[in-house]
Amino acid sequence: MQTILKGSLALTALYIAATFFFGLRAHSLALMSEAGHNVSDFLALGLSFVAVWLQARPATDERTFGYQRAGVLAGFVNALSLMVLAVWIAVAAVGRFFHPVTVEPHLMMYVAAAGVVMNGLIAGLLWKFSGDVNIRSVFLHMLGDTVSTAAVIVGGLVIAVTGQQWIDPLLSLIIAAMILASSWSIVRETLHILLEGTPRSVDLAEIRIAVQTIEGVVNVHDLHVWSLTSQSHAMACHVQVVEMQLAQCEDLLARINHQLRDHFGIQHATIQLEVTDCATVDGCVSPPEVAEVDGHSHHHHGPGGHDHAHAH
């Protein structure tokens, strides 16, 4: 993956220089929009490369999950930068409708054709890693570039045949809309992960039922499932069980973990076994609130080792 990202960075840097230089010569906003878009691609590829490198680093006492979220954060930043770029392109395109500029369509088509080949090649190389949200954000960058650059070729051809200069800013608006649509989906997904949301592929009710069907389990509560990366999920819960020997608890935990791993793809689970139910289930779910009375706060430990706040 790192080798592919390095090669993609080199190709993108060359294409940025070409699109900007020839965009100026052709007076084409669509071509210069492509240069700007590819600058964001270059930054996205660089950020993803750093994230992939960070993700390979081992966990420490300070970062017990390692740097697994680095890729998610990179995807979020990449997508936000794309949205800003889309707005800039749209504003520039609207300005061109009111102040038309004559473009050189043949130069547009030649440079854009080279871009289709380059972006298509990079997108193809990244596709097999696109299950990772970090790489998928870059893949969408490059795929969007391939389509939008192909649109520039079509636009250049239409301008050459009809002489209608408004086609150039219209293409820019279409490119901006495509960028905005693809980046918004990445922003939603990465933000959901960063806010510890339940993975969209996971149904908590199904997990609860699956665990409660295991012999010896009475109920499951304080159940949380979140994502470390787009493909790695973790879980924590309290499980009320019948009275049993410690050796039986080990066997029960093994069966629960087997169910979670094989049926729900959850590799990291923290399970607290309880003989009696949590005194206040809602209290298990939410951190206790500090009750301020006369400028003082009082905390007590309730039954089962759970923190509860009481007002006096």
Side-chain angles (χ1 to χ4, degrees), residues 129-153:
F129 299 108
S130 61
D132 182 282
V133 71
N134 171 30
I135 300 302
R136 186 158 75 253
S137 69
V138 184
F139 168 72
L140 285 175
H141 266 271
M142 306 315 297
L143 183 63
D145 270 358
T146 305
V147 176
S148 61
T149 310
V152 172
I153 297 174

Side-chain angles (χ1 to χ4, degrees), residues 246-300:
L246 184 60
Q248 293 175 296
C249 289
E250 292 287 340
D251 179 61
L252 178 64
L253 279 173
R255 280 182 283 149
I256 293 173
N257 278 305
H258 171 77
Q259 185 81 283
L260 296 172
R261 183 177 59 251
D262 292 357
H263 295 280
F264 300 99
I266 297 172
Q267 301 290 336
H268 184 94
T270 303
I271 302 165
Q272 179 173 316
L273 297 182
E274 302 170 337
V275 175
T276 57
D277 196 2
C278 181
T280 307
V281 173
D282 290 336
C284 294
V285 176
S286 305
E289 294 182 2
V290 177
E292 293 286 347
V293 182
D294 298 327
H296 300 284
S297 61
H298 305 274
H299 293 279
H300 297 275

Side-chain angles (χ1 to χ4, degrees), residues 71-303:
V72 178
L73 188 59
F76 179 69
V77 173
N78 283 339
L80 279 183
S81 68
L82 268 178
M83 294 179 75
V84 172
L85 178 68
V87 172
W88 176 82
I89 292 173
V91 170
V94 170
R96 283 234 173 163
F97 279 115
F98 295 100
H99 305 285
V101 176
T102 302
V103 301
E104 176 52 57
H106 295 95
L107 194 53
M108 279 177 64
M109 290 189 286
Y110 298 148
V111 179
V116 168
V117 174
M118 185 206 72
N119 290 321
L121 175 64
I122 295 174
L125 291 172
L126 293 172
W127 179 76
K128 69 175 182 176
F129 299 108
S130 61
D132 182 282
V133 71
N134 171 30
I135 300 302
R136 186 158 75 253
S137 69
V138 184
F139 168 72
L140 285 175
H141 266 271
M142 306 315 297
L143 183 63
D145 270 358
T146 305
V147 176
S148 61
T149 310
V152 172
I153 297 174
V154 175
L157 181 61
V158 175
I159 292 171
V161 173
T162 66
Q164 299 296 317
Q165 301 300 325
W166 56 265
I167 292 172
D168 184 62
L170 178 62
L171 278 173
S172 299
L173 282 176
I174 294 171
I175 292 169
M178 290 172 57
I179 295 170
L180 200 60
S182 62
S183 56
W184 175 241
S185 65
I186 295 292
V187 167
R188 286 183 59 195
E189 181 177 355
T190 52
L191 193 59
H192 188 73
I193 293 173
L194 292 171
L195 292 176
E196 307 283 5
T198 302
R200 302 190 192 284
S201 60
V202 171
D203 187 328
L204 289 188
E206 286 185 14
I207 292 178
R208 189 177 285 108
I209 291 169
V211 174
Q212 286 180 174
T213 56
I214 297 173
E215 185 180 354
V217 174
V218 177
N219 74 52
V220 178
H221 57 273
D222 197 12
L223 175 60
H224 305 274
V225 180
W226 67 97
S227 298
L228 301 173
T229 69
S230 57
Q231 297 175 301
S232 174
H233 307 318
M235 190 195 89
C237 70
H238 293 188
V239 177
Q240 184 185 357
V241 299
V242 298
E243 289 277 3
M244 62 177 66
Q245 299 293 323
L246 184 60
Q248 293 175 296
C249 289
E250 292 287 340
D251 179 61
L252 178 64
L253 279 173
R255 280 182 283 149
I256 293 173
N257 278 305
H258 171 77
Q259 185 81 283
L260 296 172
R261 183 177 59 251
D262 292 357
H263 295 280
F264 300 99
I266 297 172
Q267 301 290 336
H268 184 94
T270 303
I271 302 165
Q272 179 173 316
L273 297 182
E274 302 170 337
V275 175
T276 57
D277 196 2
C278 181
T280 307
V281 173
D282 290 336
C284 294
V285 176
S286 305
E289 294 182 2
V290 177
E292 293 286 347
V293 182
D294 298 327
H296 300 284
S297 61
H298 305 274
H299 293 279
H300 297 275
H301 293 284

